[in-house]
Amino acid sequence: MTTDQSPLIHLTGVDKTYRRGSEEIRVLAGLSLTVQRGEFLALMGPSGSGKSTLLNLLGGLDRPTKGAVEIGGERIDALTDRRLAGWRARHVGLVFQFYNLLPVMTAERNVELPLLLTPLSRAERRRHVATALAVVGLRDRTNHYPRQLSGGEQQRVGIARAIVTDPTLLLCDEPTGDLDRKSGDEILSLLQTLNREQGKTIIMVTHDPHASARASRTVHLDKGQLSAAAPA
Amino acid sequence: MLNWLSQISAITFANLKTLPERRGAALAAAVGIAGVVTVLVGVLSIAEGFQRVLAVSGSPDVAIVLRSGSDTEMNSGLTHDDTRLIADAPGLARNAANLPLASAELFVVINLPKRSTGTDANVPLRGVSPAAFDVRGNLTLLEGRRFEPGKNEVMVGVGAARQFSGLDVGRTVRVGQTEWAVVGVFTAGGGVAESEVWTDAAVLQPAYHRGDTYQAVYAKLISADAFHTFTDALTTNPSLSIKAMRQSDFYAEQSTLLVGFVKGIGITIAGLMAVGALFGALNTMYSSVAARTREIATLRALGFGSSPVVVSVLLESLALALAGGVLGAAGAWLAFDGHTTSTMNWQTFSQVAFAFRVSPALLVEAILWAAMIGVLGGLFPAIRAARIPIAAALRET
C-alpha cells in the first residue's frame, strides 16, 4: 500500500448480488464510497442493509458482482484468490463480533497466527505478539486459553491478533455486539487509541449509536445504498 | 515454503487438539481401520507362514529329480536303474567315502488324527536312503535317535509331532497292516520336512508293495552352479526320462497355489472391510470439518491458504488411520504371530505344519492399507474444508 495522501479506500459503482434459487437478491446497489487514511468510520444500518457484505468486500473476503474496490491504490477485486489471501495477511486486520479465537490455542498462539504467514523467526514472532498483547492490556494473559478469559478479554485478544502484523486497515464487524456496556466501552476506547495514536484506518460495522459516536464519521446503509453521511 | 509448513502445522495442531471432543467418531473410525488391518495381517500371515516353510525347505544346491511329466513326488516314479544313473551323474557332491550324496526316496500318505480336532488328516511318510541326512544337511534330532535301516522304525518331524496324535517317541503307529515304532523327533530348519515322518526307503517299499521303485531322487550338488552340468547329463541320457529342478524352485512352485488362494481371500475380505472403514473415516472427517467450519474460515480470512487446509485435514485423517493401523497390526501380531497349525498342501495332498508369520513386510503392507484408507477418507472432507465460503462461514456459531 502506498503512504501518500490519496484516499485509502475507493469504491466505485459496487453491486453485490446473491442468488437464492431462481431469485436474485441485490445486497449492494451501485455503491460508491471513499475513506481517507486514518479515518475511523462507523457503518450503520438495519439488518440486511448490506453492512457486513460491504465489510467483506473491503476485506477481500468476497468479490463484488460489479464495480471496483480499490484499496491503497490496488484493485483487490481483480486479484486471484491466492494473491488476495496474501494481500489480506499483509494489509488488513479483522475483528469479529464473536472473537473467532481458536479455542485450543492460548492467547499468545492465537495472536501469533497471522505472523505464521510472514518470514519472521520464532523469536521475532514472540516479540511482536508480546507487543500486541501489551497494547491491548493483556500482557499477563498470554498463556490463558479463550475459555479462561472474559468476553472483553477475548475481544482484546482478537484485536491483538488483528494488529500484530501492523496492518493499515482494521475492519471490525460489530466488535462490541457480544459485550456488556463496560467491556464494550473499553474495546471502543482501545479502537480509538489505535486510530489516534497508531494511525490505523478503522471501519466498524455497528448497530449501536453509542459505538458509532466514537467514530470520526458515520455512514448509513439502507437497502444496499448509502443513505446519508454525517460527520461525527 | 516455511510459511506453508507453519500454516499446516498450526491448523493440524488445532485439528488434533480437538480430537478428544470428537472421540466417539474418531474411535469408531480408528477401530474400523484396526479391524481391516487385523484381518488382513491375520489372513496374510497364513500365506507368509506357509510360504516361509516351503522357502526354507529348498536349497539351490540340492536338486530333485522326478519322472518326466510329473509335477510332484506323488505322481512320479523312478526305477532302481534310474536312481543309479542319476547318482552317477556329474556335478554331484560326494561324502568322505566317495559315495554320491543322492537319496532315492518314496513318498506315501498315511492317515493320522489331528491333536486339535481328532479328525484324520493326510500325513506324508517318506522313505529315504542313508544319504538323505547329508543331502538335507539341516536335520537335527530333538529327541530319541534316527531310525535303524531295515527296521520298522520312524523318526518324526517336530511339526508333525505337534500336530498329530500318536507320534510321541516310544509309541507305535499302526498304518494298514504295519506297525511303526517312533524312535526320534527332528527339526529341519523350519522346513517342510518337519511336517513329515521318515523311515528307511528299503522298509517302506515292501510295506507299500512298491517293489524296487522310488518316486524321487534328492541330490546334493557340488555347488549351486553345478546344477546345469547335472541336468544336462541327465536330460541328454536317452535311457532316462526325467525332469530335474532345484529344490528351492520346486518348493517355491509348490507354495504358489495355496499362497495365491490365501492371499486372494485375505485381500478380498480386507478390501470389503476397507470399504466400510473408508465410510467411517469419511464420516469422521466430514463431522470434523463441519465442527470447525468457523475456525477454518477464520484462518482463511487471516490469510491462510487453501492448500494448508487440505493438507492438514488429510494429516488428521492419516493420523487417525495410522493409529488404527498400528493398533490393528499390534493386535494381529499378538494374536497370530507364531500360532502353529497345519493345512493341506494341494500339490502333495498332505498336511504341512507351519506357524503364522507376521513379518515386518506384512506389517508395513498393512500400515500402508491403513494409510490409504486414511488419505481416501480425508480427501473429500479436505476439499470441502478448502472450499468453505469464508464470508458466510465466519458468522457460523
Side-chain angles (χ1 to χ4, degrees):
Chain A
M1 260 184 238
T2 55
T3 54
D4 59 24
Q5 294 307 306
S6 59
L8 178 67
I9 297 171
H10 199 67
L11 268 66
T12 317
V14 167
D15 265 33
K16 181 65 187 178
T17 305
Y18 291 109
R19 183 172 284 279
R20 189 183 294 158
S22 59
E23 187 187 3
E24 274 198 348
I25 301 164
R26 197 177 184 200
V27 182
L28 298 178
L31 187 143
S32 295
L33 175 69
T34 299
V35 180
Q36 301 298 328
R37 288 173 193 280
E39 263 199 277
F40 185 171
L41 180 77
L43 202 55
M44 294 191 75
S47 294
S49 60
K51 303 185 300 293
S52 293
T53 301
L54 177 56
L55 205 68
N56 288 337
L57 294 181
L58 292 171
L61 301 173
D62 206 349
R63 293 172 190 279
T65 311
K66 205 169 81 179
V69 180
E70 189 179 316
I71 300 180
E74 192 162 13
R75 280 283 300 272
I76 66 164
D77 56 290
L79 296 177
T80 62
D81 284 348
R82 189 187 171 88
R83 290 176 69 89
L84 198 55
W87 177 85
R88 275 200 304 273
R90 285 191 304 277
H91 300 301
V92 181
L94 298 165
V95 178
F96 305 99
Q97 180 179 359
F98 299 109
Y99 331 126
N100 289 36
L101 302 177
L102 269 65
V104 295
M105 292 183 176
T106 61
E108 184 181 40
R109 289 218 61 189
N110 264 289
V111 176
E112 189 189 12
L113 283 170
L115 295 177
L116 297 177
L117 307 168
T118 69
L120 293 177
S121 68
R122 188 178 171 81
E124 289 170 321
R125 291 203 303 263
R126 287 288 155 95
R127 210 163 44 244
H128 280 70
V129 170
T131 305
L133 283 169
V135 167
V136 300
L138 286 180
R139 202 199 297 254
D140 58 342
R141 293 283 195 273
T142 53
N143 292 318
H144 286 61
Y145 287 91
R147 64 177 179 279
Q148 298 168 317
L149 300 172
S150 68
E153 286 173 326
Q154 288 186 59
Q155 191 59 291
R156 284 168 183 271
V157 174
I159 292 171
R161 183 178 64 188
I163 62 172
V164 74
T165 54
D166 195 22
T168 318
L169 179 61
L170 286 186
L171 299 174
C172 310
D173 192 0
E174 303 203 37
T176 58
D178 197 45
L179 300 175
D180 57 41
R181 174 54 61 90
K182 183 171 174 293
S183 301
D185 279 344
E186 286 170 2
I187 293 299
L188 291 168
S189 297
L190 178 57
L191 291 175
Q192 269 187 316
T193 304
L194 290 170
N195 171 246
R196 288 174 183 164
E197 294 181 9
Q198 297 193 15
K200 302 291 180 202
T201 303
I202 300 177
I203 298 179
M204 174 178 69
V205 164
T206 182
H207 278 106
D208 183 4
H210 178 75
S212 68
R214 300 288 197 105
S216 54
R217 180 161 69 110
T218 299
V219 294
H220 293 265
L221 257 176
D222 192 20
K223 294 177 183 167
Q225 290 183 313
L226 291 175
S227 60
Chain B
M1 187 65 184
L2 269 178
N3 281 352
W4 193 72
L5 293 176
S6 298
Q7 291 178 53
I8 290 171
S9 153
I11 306 173
T12 306
F13 171 79
N15 292 352
L16 295 180
K17 282 277 275 187
T18 59
L19 264 182
E21 294 164 21
R22 293 171 280 117
R23 58 181 169 271
L27 204 61
V31 167
I33 292 168
V36 173
V37 166
T38 304
V39 168
L40 183 76
V41 171
V43 177
L44 293 190
S45 69
I46 296 172
E48 285 262 332
F50 186 79
Q51 205 165 23
R52 181 178 168 80
V53 165
L54 294 184
V56 299
S57 303
S59 170
D61 65 353
V62 172
I64 174 169
V65 185
L66 305 173
R67 184 182 65 196
S68 178
S70 305
D71 292 323
T72 69
E73 292 175 86
M74 289 291 285
N75 54 21
S76 172
L78 299 170
T79 65
H80 179 80
D81 287 344
D82 291 338
T83 62
R84 193 177 48 75
L85 287 170
I86 293 164
D88 285 342
L92 249 64
R94 288 175 178 271
N95 64 13
N98 201 32
L99 293 171
L101 295 183
S103 169
E105 300 185 358
L106 281 172
F107 184 91
V108 299
V109 171
I110 60 175
N111 277 327
L112 288 175
K114 277 188 161 185
R115 284 187 196 273
S116 56
T117 60
T119 53
D120 279 356
N122 292 347
V123 182
L125 173 58
R126 181 179 293 279
V128 300
S129 303
F133 299 95
D134 291 330
V135 171
R136 265 44 168 231
N138 60 355
L139 258 68
T140 308
L141 272 174
L142 270 188
E143 192 184 349
R145 58 174 175 80
R146 290 182 184 181
F147 59 81
E148 277 186 31
K151 287 190 173 178
N152 280 17
E153 290 180 347
V154 294
M155 52 192 287
V156 181
V158 66
R162 273 197 211 111
Q163 290 291 318
F164 303 103
S165 301
L167 295 179
D168 306 305
V169 172
R171 293 188 65 172
T172 302
V173 185
R174 184 175 183 83
V175 181
Q177 299 303 311
T178 314
E179 288 196 336
W180 304 87
V182 180
V183 297
V185 175
F186 66 89
T187 61
V192 73
E194 290 185 0
S195 302
E196 297 177 344
V197 178
W198 279 23
T199 187
D200 182 5
V203 177
L204 192 59
Q205 281 174 327
Y208 276 78
H209 311 293
R210 295 294 176 92
D212 199 11
T213 63
Y214 298 86
Q215 282 160 290
V217 173
Y218 283 76
K220 176 86 169 173
L221 304 170
I222 298 166
S223 70
D225 294 337
F227 178 73
H228 295 294
T229 311
F230 175 69
T231 51
D232 288 348
L234 296 182
T235 51
T236 53
N237 186 335
S239 56
L240 280 174
S241 176
I242 56 91
K243 68 185 267 189
M245 300 170 75
R246 288 186 197 276
Q247 191 190 25
S248 50
D249 295 341
F250 176 69
Y251 283 123
E253 195 175 286
Q254 285 213 336
S255 69
T256 51
L257 185 66
L258 184 77
V259 167
F261 176 73
V262 172
K263 280 190 173 174
I265 293 270
I267 288 170
T268 304
I269 296 172
L272 289 172
M273 289 181 69
V275 173
L278 182 62
F279 280 107
L282 273 170
N283 183 46
T284 303
M285 294 315 299
Y286 271 129
S287 63
S288 164
V289 168
R292 283 172 295 133
T293 298
R294 196 171 72 162
E295 287 176 24
I296 292 168
T298 302
L299 291 167
R300 296 295 314 281
L302 295 180
F304 280 59
S306 54
S307 64
V309 171
V310 170
V311 173
S312 63
V313 173
L314 283 176
L315 284 177
E316 180 187 349
S317 180
L318 196 59
L320 267 180
L322 289 179
V326 169
L327 187 72
W333 184 75
L334 287 173
F336 300 116
D337 192 49
H339 174 71
T340 54
T341 186
S342 66
T343 191
M344 181 73 86
N345 179 358
W346 293 100
Q347 263 90 353
T348 61
F349 293 102
S350 59
Q351 295 282 314
V352 173
F354 67 96
F356 285 46
R357 185 163 183 266
V358 181
S359 65
L362 189 53
L363 291 176
V364 169
E365 184 181 341
I367 298 290
L368 286 176
W369 270 66
M372 187 181 69
I373 294 169
V375 170
L376 287 177
L379 186 61
F380 294 106
I383 291 170
R384 175 181 283 187
R387 288 183 174 169
I388 286 172
I390 302 173
L394 281 173
R395 287 184 156 259
E396 281 198 9
T397 52

